[in-house]
Amino acid sequence: MTATFTLDRGTAPLLISLPHDGSHIPEVMAARMHPAARRAPDTDWHVGRLYDPLAKAIGASVLRPQLSRYVVDLNRPADGHALYPGRKETGLVSTVGFDGTAIYLDGEEPTADEIQRRVNECWHPYHQALSQELERLLAEHGRVVLWEGHSIRSRVPMLFDGRLPDLNLGTADGSSCGAVLQGRLQAALESQSRYSHVVNGRFKGGYITRHYGRPESNVQAVQLELAQLNYMDEDSFAYDSDKAAPLQEVILQLLRACVEP
């Protein structure tokens, strides 16, 4: 495979990771999938477009994949262990989408060997780059925040009941970041009334947030899951600049809270 991610290095003590931003599925894989799955509907659509100008304004680094989460999910453990034992969820190389339907045609599901190749070629390079960038920023600033940018359709019955809050902040129940930072972020959310929000609700933070967040070592990690209807059309996947603009203002305030000394 060619390059599977891009990294734009910044100068602030902030790394924005967008592990589900990629939507590309190599043709050799797409040919084995149902037509609906080839559209990569469970992509965190346009999060790169949302975050790019904000990252530039703050000087944050941005890491993003080229490939779809259907190739391999970068926010799952490489050994395939469940993130939410006892709940329905998609996996490291998922065979079902968020709507519960099959991704692959009958008999075309990836073998264990193929899954391992995908991990070796895509998962490990992304995490190596993530680790190295965190180390670089930590060495330069003495502290760093890892911001996990995600989005999802506002209603996903397989995963949760009803409509998702607009802004879902996760800190692994406070273990992936310090109390001061979490307090700043909660205050920023509470200072606005346009969007509903929750902290450590259904989305507490995935593998990346839990694995890399080490506040005792000055590496803090936070996940923000956005309801997609606030910046795009969830059926066509079309970006809506008018909707996105006020949402970006709120996200910018959250990111600024991360770089405050």
Side-chain angles (χ1 to χ4, degrees):
M1 288 184 178
T2 56
T4 58
F5 66 88
T6 61
L7 172 62
D8 296 318
R9 291 187 172 91
T11 56
L14 176 63
L15 169 58
I16 299 172
S17 165
L18 307 173
H20 298 151
D21 183 51
S23 60
H24 177 64
I25 302 173
E27 182 54 38
V28 67
M29 296 180 191
R32 297 158 52 196
M33 296 178 176
H34 287 285
R38 295 171 195 167
R39 298 180 68 210
D42 298 328
T43 301
D44 290 12
W45 291 106
H46 310 297
V47 289
R49 186 169 177 178
L50 275 175
Y51 278 96
D52 270 346
L54 312 181
K56 288 182 173 63
I58 289 180
S61 298
V62 180
L63 177 65
R64 71 181 69 177
Q66 303 292 316
L67 299 170
S68 166
R69 68 190 301 163
Y70 285 179
V71 177
V72 66
D73 193 329
L74 302 168
N75 199 31
R76 294 292 187 273
D79 60 9
H81 283 175
L83 275 178
Y84 304 99
R87 297 184 187 177
K88 290 183 178 179
E89 62 175 309
T90 55
L92 175 67
V93 175
S94 195
T95 56
V96 296
F98 285 165
D99 61 0
T101 62
I103 292 174
Y104 292 89
L105 301 171
D106 289 345
E108 296 290 349
E109 295 86 357
T111 64
D113 286 345
E114 180 182 354
I115 290 172
Q116 189 59 53
R117 284 196 300 273
R118 297 189 193 186
V119 169
N120 292 342
E121 294 174 0
C122 307
W123 193 98
H124 283 301
Y126 188 90
H127 282 266
Q128 182 179 28
L130 195 158
S131 296
Q132 290 175 345
E133 184 64 4
L134 286 177
E135 290 171 5
R136 181 185 76 85
L137 293 171
L138 180 61
E140 183 173 336
H141 298 280
R143 62 186 178 90
V144 62
V145 175
L146 170 60
W147 185 272
E148 275 286 290
H150 293 263
S151 75
I152 192 170
R153 292 192 298 276
S154 57
R155 294 180 183 274
V156 186
M158 188 185 90
L159 300 182
F160 50 81
D161 296 329
R163 183 188 181 285
L164 190 69
D166 297 321
L167 304 171
N168 302 264
L169 194 75
T171 65
D173 288 324
S175 66
S176 68
C177 85
V180 172
L181 177 56
Q182 181 165 315
R184 288 177 181 169
L185 296 171
Q186 287 185 260
L189 290 172
E190 291 166 1
S191 70
Q192 59 81 43
S193 58
R194 186 183 186 106
Y195 303 104
S196 60
H197 68 274
V198 66
V199 178
N200 289 315
R202 174 60 178 81
F203 295 95
K204 300 176 186 292
Y207 171 79
I208 293 176
T209 302
R210 301 180 201 177
H211 179 74
Y212 291 97
R214 302 185 305 276
E216 70 281 0
S217 300
N218 295 320
V219 179
Q220 304 188 82
V222 178
Q223 176 177 298
L224 181 64
E225 188 89 47
L226 304 170
Q228 291 177 341
L229 84 171
N230 289 298
Y231 69 90
M232 59 175 275
D233 182 89
E234 294 185 341
D235 295 321
S236 69
F237 309 149
Y239 188 76
D240 189 325
S241 298
D242 292 335
K243 281 186 175 181
L247 179 61
Q248 287 175 303
E249 292 178 6
V250 174
I251 297 173
L252 183 59
Q253 294 307 310
L254 294 170
L255 296 179
R256 282 177 172 156
C258 292
V259 297
E260 290 180 20

